[in-house]
Amino acid sequence: MADQSTEEKVVDRSLMDNLSEKLHGHHSSSSSDDDDEKPTTISSSINRLFGRQKSVHSLIGGGKAADLVLWRNKQTSASFLVGATVLWILFEGMEYPLLTFVCHVLILSLVILFIWINSAAFLKRSPPHIPEVVISEDTTRHIASELRVEVNRAFSSLHDVASGKDFKKLLLVVAVLYVLSVIGNCCDFLTVVYIGLVTLLTVPVVYEKYENQIDSVVHKVLLKLKEQYKVFDAKVLSKIPRGPLKEKKLS
């Protein structure tokens, strides 16, 4: 009996030793894997465009608007793009006035509904169900509140730019306004809106599909621009004579 108990103890110790070795090996391998993954994740986050850490879907704002822009529902996005293209062709290519178009659409819709409802009894068909559209007070308040927040945010940004608090934002706003002025000089407002819609429906989805390749190329381009700026700074900017700095008076 004593021999059996000693043998059982030896077997239990050997099993415990094997388990501990496996656990240590697993921890060491997982820690090494984590160490291998850390540089890749860090480098990938550094190489992202503008140092972003969120996905393209969340940057756009998420929700149904982001789904539309990123073609989550291809039928809806394609219908939106085709509809915008048809409207642009009507207004720009055929020079169809907007007010005339709206009036003709309303006239045609009202006439079709009137004939359909009155002929349903003779044709023994059910008349179309026309839902009653009523905008609630809560919806109006919510829209007004959201609009107020966005307008105040825009005014706050313009105030910061005009007050000279953010020079980078000033340059960005000036560049955007200048580009818009050049585009507006070349084409009218409706064409600018159509170009913006097409860009919004193409650029984000292409970037999301090839974001690794685009981020890599942009990262290399930015590195080359920084190198060129260093050379320009060493050869030109550093040689510009500057006036002597005034020494601060000791209090």
Side-chain angles (χ1 to χ4, degrees):
M1 296 292 291
D3 295 334
Q4 290 181 356
S5 62
T6 55
E7 289 178 358
E8 289 176 356
K9 290 180 179 179
V10 171
V11 171
D12 292 336
R13 289 180 180 177
S14 62
L15 289 174
M16 293 297 292
D17 293 334
N18 290 330
L19 288 173
S20 63
E21 289 177 359
K22 289 181 179 180
L23 289 173
H24 285 299
H26 177 72
H27 287 303
S28 62
S29 61
S30 63
S31 62
S32 62
D33 293 337
D34 294 337
D35 293 335
D36 292 337
E37 290 177 357
K38 284 180 181 179
T40 56
T41 56
I42 293 173
S43 61
S44 62
S45 64
I46 292 174
N47 294 336
R48 288 300 180 191
L49 189 62
F50 303 117
R52 66 175 182 84
Q53 296 180 354
K54 297 181 180 180
S55 62
V56 180
H57 189 272
S58 61
L59 285 177
I60 296 175
K64 295 182 180 180
D67 294 339
L68 177 67
V69 172
L70 296 176
W71 292 69
R72 295 290 190 263
N73 189 347
K74 295 182 180 180
Q75 185 176 1
T76 304
S77 301
S79 301
F80 188 80
L81 181 60
V82 170
T85 304
V86 170
L87 290 177
W88 181 78
I89 292 173
L90 284 175
F91 297 146
E92 292 298 322
M94 301 177 63
E95 296 183 354
Y96 202 175
L98 178 60
L99 183 60
T100 305
F101 173 77
V102 173
C103 293
H104 287 175
V105 170
L106 290 175
I107 291 171
L108 184 62
S109 301
L110 292 174
V111 170
I112 290 174
L113 288 174
F114 181 82
I115 295 174
W116 189 357
I117 292 173
N118 288 278
S119 63
F122 298 99
L123 299 175
K124 295 181 180 180
R125 293 182 179 180
S126 60
H129 176 68
I130 303 175
E132 185 178 359
V133 179
V134 177
I135 301 176
S136 63
E137 186 177 355
D138 294 336
T139 303
T140 306
R141 288 180 178 177
H142 179 70
I143 295 174
S145 178
E146 293 293 331
L147 183 62
R148 181 183 63 84
V149 171
E150 296 299 329
V151 170
N152 288 334
R153 185 179 301 172
F155 281 141
S156 177
S157 299
L158 292 176
H159 181 269
D160 292 339
V161 171
S163 301
K165 296 180 179 180
D166 195 344
F167 183 70
K168 292 182 179 180
K169 188 179 291 186
L170 172 64
L171 293 179
L172 180 62
V173 171
V174 170
V176 171
L177 292 177
Y178 178 75
V179 171
L180 290 177
S181 65
V182 172
I183 296 175
N185 192 22
C186 299
C187 51
D188 57 358
F189 178 72
L190 187 60
T191 304
V192 173
V193 173
Y194 176 70
I195 293 173
L197 287 175
V198 173
T199 304
L200 188 63
L201 289 173
T202 53
V203 173
V205 66
V206 172
Y207 175 72
E208 187 186 35
K209 188 175 182 180
Y210 303 102
E211 60 177 335
N212 292 329
Q213 293 85 346
I214 295 174
D215 287 340
S216 178
V217 172
V218 173
H219 182 66
K220 292 178 181 178
V221 171
L222 290 177
L223 288 178
K224 290 183 179 179
L225 289 176
K226 288 181 179 179
E227 293 177 358
Q228 295 296 326
Y229 177 77
K230 289 180 180 179
V231 174
F232 179 75
D233 186 24
K235 292 183 177 180
V236 179
L237 296 180
S238 61
K239 296 181 180 180
I240 296 176
R242 299 177 182 177
L245 297 176
K246 295 181 179 180
E247 296 182 357
K248 295 182 179 180
K249 295 181 180 180
L250 298 175
S251 57

